[in-house]
Amino acid sequence: MIQKIGKKVIGLVLLVLALIVYVIQQIPRESAVNMSAVNAKLQEQPVQEPYGSVYEVFVYSYEDTDGDGIGDLNGITEKLDYIHDLGFRGLWLMPVCPSPTYHKYDVADYMSIDPQYGTMEDFQRLVQEAHSRDMKVILDLVLNHTSVQHPWFTKAAEYMRSLPAGQEPDPAVCPYAEYYRFSRNMQGGYAKLEDSDWYYEARFWEGMPDLNLDNEAVRKEIAEIMKFWIDKGTDGFRLDAVTSYYTGNHEKNIQFLSWVKKTAVSFNPDCYIVCEGWENRNTYAQYYASGVDSMFDFSFADVSGVITSTLLGRYKARDFGNAQESEWQLYQSYGSQAVNAPFYTNHDMGRSAGYYAADDGSKTKLAQAMNLLMSGNVFLYYGEEIGMKGAGKDENKRAPMYWTQDPDAEGMTQGPPGMDEVAMKFAPLDEQLKDPYSIVNYVKEVMRIRNAFPVIACGRTWVHQDLTTDSVCMIMKEDGVHEPAAIIYNISDQVQTVDLSSTEFHALRGVLTVNEDAVTFSNDILTLPAWGCAVLTEQE
Ligand code: CA
């Protein structure tokens, strides 16, 4: 009898325990999450080329290893681990060939390294070290013009000066006379050849004579130049000023680019080509018809682009999404190989920290997520990861990388000649690294997310219109290969709540917050703090 009662009691106790366990499971768990805790679980996944990420470096102002105050290739090699830790898997080196200017966009010899930057051995070591970290190296290739100091031009100029009045140049005597465009008549975009009656085409500046790209001999030189650098391990080229090849003639520019791409892949089938065509997107989109991999996405960049316009309230959150959705279709309509090349700033633009006057860093940070989580092969200009300042004349936009407060510290560069003193708004890198909510650590979290979900780079972008508002943008990424992802941005200074119960997205996988504010996710209700961002997938 007592045993029977005992069994009943035990049974009752077990039933009550089971009930308690059941009830506890039904109570929503503590759901506030912290950025680094969530993102720490993410693993980098391999990405299909060329959907990568590229860090743009102005060698001159990066890291100096020999104490002359000018950055060098060995300095970049030293900093490869830093760039890799940031999350970038590629480098774009601004011009490295010998040149009379500090920026080196007027090349005097296409097949060597400017002694200011080091030697060819230094370059090959940099490429080798980059490749050993699975990082690509892209070189700036300036084909529109050379330096007046290039031997092609000095020989041509000497010959033109020697011609008696009325005599036309003979390419059999001096082939270089046809490498450029000489004329006896002054016309727009031409400069006077000193000590002669001749003028030569020089659209940007008299120190940069335009090449005659119709000349077969010039094309043969260009082919050899590309082969030379591909043989040295270069993975691709950034083509400068492609809309200026034949000024005002998009059709001829596109034909020429088509030849460049075909020639490059004849040396290396994977050679990546990205082009600078600083125009509105309807214009540069047409250049995808040439077969090049990427055109820089100027429509999102700079103080007037989509990102800044959205953060300044000129556009709504939904406009930011819609612009991404429509551009994919636009680019694909010209070439199915099109891989967008989003970027936010470059060496020709004022630095982004200057776009937001009263910003505490929140907009500077969220802008990085808005850019770096776009589809395509994404680019970041050095120093933007710490919110450096620099505007006005070009030299100021290319200031020394702000490694540390002391401008005389080892490795610090002196910056381009003529640069104004640039007052920084945010701390130097060494201080930012100690602060979990600094700009640089935010950028690292953005890249951790990008690298963990290949669909962010490869996926077609569309906007979840039902959940997108003036302040919240829900961007969907889908490529039919990887797990789909949703990126939800709060582009406002208020807390925003999003009910995801009507969607397939039930797993919070990545979080970006501009400070210690937490994101909460409970019963499919996502609460994002001001300027917060979250990435969700369907399952954990
Ligand atoms: Ca140096």
Side-chain angles (χ1 to χ4, degrees):
M1 186 67 186
I2 290 170
Q3 272 184 338
K4 232 178 172 180
I5 292 171
K7 276 184 182 168
K8 275 187 177 172
V9 169
I10 290 168
L12 204 65
V13 167
L14 286 176
L15 189 69
V16 169
L17 279 175
L19 263 169
I20 290 170
V21 169
Y22 176 79
V23 168
I24 286 174
Q25 282 176 338
Q26 298 310 301
I27 296 171
R29 277 169 292 173
E30 178 51 58
S31 55
V33 292
N34 160 284
M35 172 161 68
S36 52
V38 175
N39 301 345
K41 295 177 196 152
L42 298 175
Q43 296 283 326
E44 180 166 350
Q45 302 296 320
V47 69
Q48 181 195 330
E49 291 299 333
Y51 294 89
S53 52
V54 181
Y55 186 81
E56 178 192 355
V57 196
F58 180 41
V59 184
Y60 196 98
S61 287
Y62 206 60
E63 169 82 1
D64 173 28
T65 57
D66 59 6
D68 65 356
I70 297 172
D72 40 56
L73 296 175
N74 288 339
I76 295 170
T77 306
E78 263 186 22
K79 294 296 180 182
L80 280 177
D81 285 335
Y82 164 68
I83 299 166
H84 191 274
D85 280 353
L86 275 178
F88 289 86
R89 300 296 174 255
L91 287 177
W92 153 22
L93 302 182
M94 285 166 61
V96 294
C97 293
S99 164
T101 58
Y102 80 87
H103 53 71
K104 310 195 195 300
Y105 275 99
D106 46 336
V107 176
D109 175 0
Y110 284 97
M111 295 196 198
S112 50
I113 297 291
D114 193 301
Q116 281 188 326
Y117 286 179
T119 64
M120 193 59 75
E121 289 67 40
D122 296 341
F123 176 76
Q124 288 189 271
R125 197 166 63 90
L126 166 57
V127 169
Q128 195 183 6
E129 290 290 325
H131 287 174
S132 74
R133 291 164 176 81
D134 282 329
M135 295 168 80
K136 307 273 176 195
V137 178
I138 297 171
L139 281 187
D140 221 310
L141 192 55
V142 189
L143 301 178
N144 179 65
H145 48 260
T146 68
S147 164
V148 280
Q149 293 185 16
H150 195 290
W152 300 337
F153 189 78
T154 55
K155 286 175 189 164
E158 189 186 2
Y159 173 69
M160 298 307 283
R161 284 190 190 104
S162 73
L163 286 179
Q167 191 176 323
E168 289 303 305
D170 178 358
V173 178
C174 177
Y176 301 111
E178 292 200 337
Y179 275 38
Y180 300 89
R181 293 184 189 275
F182 289 95
S183 168
R184 292 231 189 241
N185 304 314
M186 180 53 186
Q187 45 194 300
Y190 277 62
K192 179 103 163 69
L193 181 65
E194 274 184 37
D195 304 323
S196 83
D197 299 331
W198 292 95
Y199 297 87
Y200 60 94
E201 188 185 11
R203 301 271 169 183
F204 285 94
W205 167 50
E206 61 187 17
M208 292 180 173
D210 281 53
L211 281 165
N212 172 11
L213 300 173
D214 282 335
N215 184 343
E216 282 306 315
V218 170
R219 294 203 182 197
K220 194 161 165 283
E221 303 269 14
I222 292 170
E224 282 170 15
I225 291 161
M226 286 196 287
K227 181 170 191 306
F228 177 85
W229 290 108
I230 288 170
D231 288 347
K232 298 266 182 249
T234 307
D235 300 289
F237 298 105
R238 177 265 182 191
L239 302 183
D240 183 60
V242 303
T243 52
S244 298
Y245 289 154
Y246 298 89
T247 305
N249 191 334
H250 297 307
E251 201 183 322
K252 285 204 78 174
N253 292 333
I254 292 164
Q255 283 169 8
F256 178 71
L257 277 179
S258 189
W259 173 82
V260 172
K261 174 66 183 175
K262 268 190 219 134
T263 307
V265 298
S266 75
F267 304 129
N268 171 9
D270 298 324
C271 185
Y272 172 74
I273 302 282
V274 55
C275 305
E276 178 207 25
W278 197 343
E279 300 277 347
N280 72 57
R281 76 175 195 179
N282 289 316
T283 301
Y284 65 72
Q286 299 169 38
Y287 281 63
Y288 277 116
S290 65
V292 297
D293 303 272
S294 299
M295 298 296 300
F296 280 117
D297 195 352
F298 277 88
S299 62
F300 278 74
D302 209 349
V303 68
S304 57
V306 173
I307 292 172
T308 314
S309 295
T310 308
L311 285 165
L312 289 175
R314 293 195 292 253
Y315 294 172
K316 304 296 185 195
R318 66 164 59 78
D319 300 322
F320 167 65
N322 290 341
Q324 287 177 73
E325 186 176 311
S326 62
E327 72 174 2
W328 189 86
Q329 289 156 351
L330 175 68
Y331 301 157
Q332 291 284 314
S333 73
Y334 288 103
S336 59
Q337 85 294 346
V339 171
N340 192 21
F343 73 106
Y344 179 33
T345 65
N346 68 18
H347 57 280
D348 291 321
M349 295 172 179
R351 286 194 175 272
S352 65
Y355 300 170
Y356 315 103
D359 182 39
D360 62 356
S362 300
K363 290 178 185 175
T364 301
K365 288 174 194 163
L366 184 59
Q368 292 299 340
M370 292 168 75
N371 178 229
L372 297 171
L373 299 181
M374 285 176 69
S375 296
N377 189 20
V378 77
F379 286 72
L380 178 128
Y381 182 45
Y382 84 96
E384 289 291 289
E385 75 272 27
I386 54 173
M388 276 173 62
K389 285 286 294 275
K393 60 166 119 163
D394 283 344
E395 290 81 352
N396 301 351
K397 302 165 183 166
R398 305 161 187 177
M401 175 66 186
Y402 195 33
W403 301 109
T404 188
Q405 186 88 46
D406 176 10
D408 300 320
E410 198 183 328
M412 290 291 284
T413 59
Q414 68 200 6
M419 183 187 82
D420 301 325
E421 199 166 315
V422 179
M424 294 296 160
K425 177 174 179 179
F426 299 108
L429 178 73
D430 57 353
E431 287 173 36
Q432 288 201 23
L433 286 172
K434 296 173 200 154
D435 168 7
Y437 296 101
S438 64
I439 302 167
V440 72
N441 279 319
Y442 183 91
V443 169
K444 279 190 191 185
E445 296 299 331
V446 177
M447 292 306 293
R448 194 190 306 280
I449 289 172
R450 183 182 178 89
N451 290 338
F453 300 102
V455 75
I456 290 176
C458 302
R460 182 173 72 84
T461 295
W462 53 282
V463 178
H464 195 298
Q465 297 291 351
D466 293 345
L467 296 180
T468 291
T469 67
D470 285 355
S471 304
V472 170
C473 187
M474 179 161 169
I475 295 212
M476 316 290 283
K477 301 268 192 167
E478 206 174 46
D479 66 358
V481 178
H482 305 99
E483 60 176 336
I487 306 172
I488 305 178
Y489 295 92
N490 175 3
I491 311 178
S492 82
D493 58 4
Q494 304 294 312
V495 174
Q496 301 286 341
T497 298
V498 185
D499 181 353
L500 291 160
S501 56
S502 66
T503 75
E504 301 296 313
F505 293 88
H506 305 298
L508 178 64
R509 304 289 298 282
V511 162
L512 295 165
T513 56
V514 297
N515 53 35
E516 62 278 7
D517 289 347
V519 167
T520 67
F521 187 57
S522 153
N523 295 331
D524 284 339
I525 306 291
L526 176 73
T527 305
L528 286 174
W531 315 112
C533 176
V535 174
L536 291 97
T537 57
E538 295 176 1
Q539 293 157 8
E540 285 291 341

